[in-house]
Amino acid sequence: MAFKLPELGYAYDALEPNIDARTMEIHHTKHHNGYTTKLNGAIEGTDLEGKSIEDILTNLDMSNSAVRNNGGGFYNHSLFWTVMNPEDKGYLSGELKDAIEAAFGSKEKFMDAFSNAAATQFGSGWAWLCVHKGGKVEVCSTPNQDNPLMPGVSCGGTPILGLDVWEHAYYLNYQNRRPDYIDAFFKVINWNEVERRYAEAK
Ligand code: MN3
């Protein structure tokens, strides 16, 4: 069964003014759709066909660049849309709040660490909050469409929050001002979903 481009769950203009509608539409219908189509083409007729995307990435042959780039792109964007929400953003609470405070000292220090990872990722890539078995959280970044689920990639663990810092994610509205885009992202984080992912992965 082929992978399908997931719905956003909200309108393209729902994250305005933090993330503009035109960027969201192009990002979803062109970029994410492209990764999805190319992933399906790359696994068709191979023994990866029919496996879950998590299974494919966790056991990936890193020399398989078609699956690495497009499988990463499919998974990363699928996560990205869900950790943003225009309405019910929730707030950092519960077990995840405890884990973030244990790892970073405070929510503000976590935001500094995450922002720094996003700002200093040279060129295209992602910033991540990952959880390890046992519940410890860690911030890291990856180049291109790499993902911490992949063997030997960055901090490892399961990503529960991700920020796309490819220029296609922000250039129309923010041009070269990546730090402004990072600040805007913090205003639309869906903490309820991040907490749900934490509870599932820890
Ligand atoms: Mn992208």
Side-chain angles (χ1 to χ4, degrees):
M1 196 174 67
F3 290 106
K4 270 187 66 182
L5 179 69
E7 297 291 324
L8 285 193
Y10 44 82
Y12 290 125
D13 65 359
L15 303 176
E16 296 256 15
N18 296 297
I19 302 184
D20 66 283
R22 184 87 178 115
T23 296
M24 288 297 293
E25 183 173 4
I26 294 170
H27 205 171
H28 183 241
T29 63
K30 305 294 184 196
H31 294 274
H32 196 188
N33 192 45
Y35 295 123
T36 306
T37 304
K38 288 176 188 162
L39 170 62
N40 286 329
I43 64 173
E44 192 178 357
T46 76
D47 60 359
L48 299 177
E49 202 170 11
K51 293 188 172 168
S52 72
I53 189 61
E54 290 84 0
D55 191 10
I56 289 172
L57 298 187
T58 304
N59 298 295
L60 184 65
D61 168 5
M62 294 295 278
S63 70
N64 186 342
S65 57
V67 175
R68 180 177 177 176
N69 293 332
N70 296 298
F74 173 78
Y75 178 95
N76 295 347
H77 291 86
S78 299
L79 181 150
F80 185 49
W81 311 134
T82 69
V83 297
M84 299 187 290
N85 189 316
E87 287 150 16
D88 181 16
K89 291 190 273 288
Y91 54 92
L92 180 60
S93 63
E95 285 184 321
L96 177 59
K97 180 169 186 276
D98 294 343
I100 281 180
E101 288 177 353
F104 302 99
S106 68
K107 182 185 176 186
E108 289 65 35
K109 285 186 179 149
F110 153 70
M111 288 168 65
D112 287 347
F114 189 90
S115 296
N116 189 54
T120 59
Q121 171 58 46
F122 182 76
S124 298
W126 292 75
W128 302 105
L129 175 66
C130 292
V131 55
H132 297 280
K133 287 291 170 205
K136 187 177 185 296
V137 290
E138 190 173 3
V139 160
C140 59
S141 63
T142 56
N144 304 315
Q145 295 296 352
D146 282 0
N147 174 293
L149 290 175
M150 295 172 181
V153 167
S154 203
C155 61
T158 304
I160 57 173
L161 176 69
L163 174 58
D164 188 342
V165 295
W166 284 58
E167 284 188 344
H168 68 228
Y170 63 88
Y171 205 85
L172 286 180
N173 195 33
Y174 293 99
Q175 292 83 50
N176 62 333
R177 303 189 312 279
R178 190 190 286 186
D180 292 351
Y181 162 70
I182 295 167
D183 288 346
F185 174 69
F186 277 104
K187 296 176 185 162
V188 296
I189 292 177
N190 180 355
W191 285 109
N192 295 336
E193 172 64 12
V194 184
E195 282 180 40
R196 190 195 65 75
R197 287 176 179 268
Y198 177 79
E200 190 178 271
K202 76 182 170 70

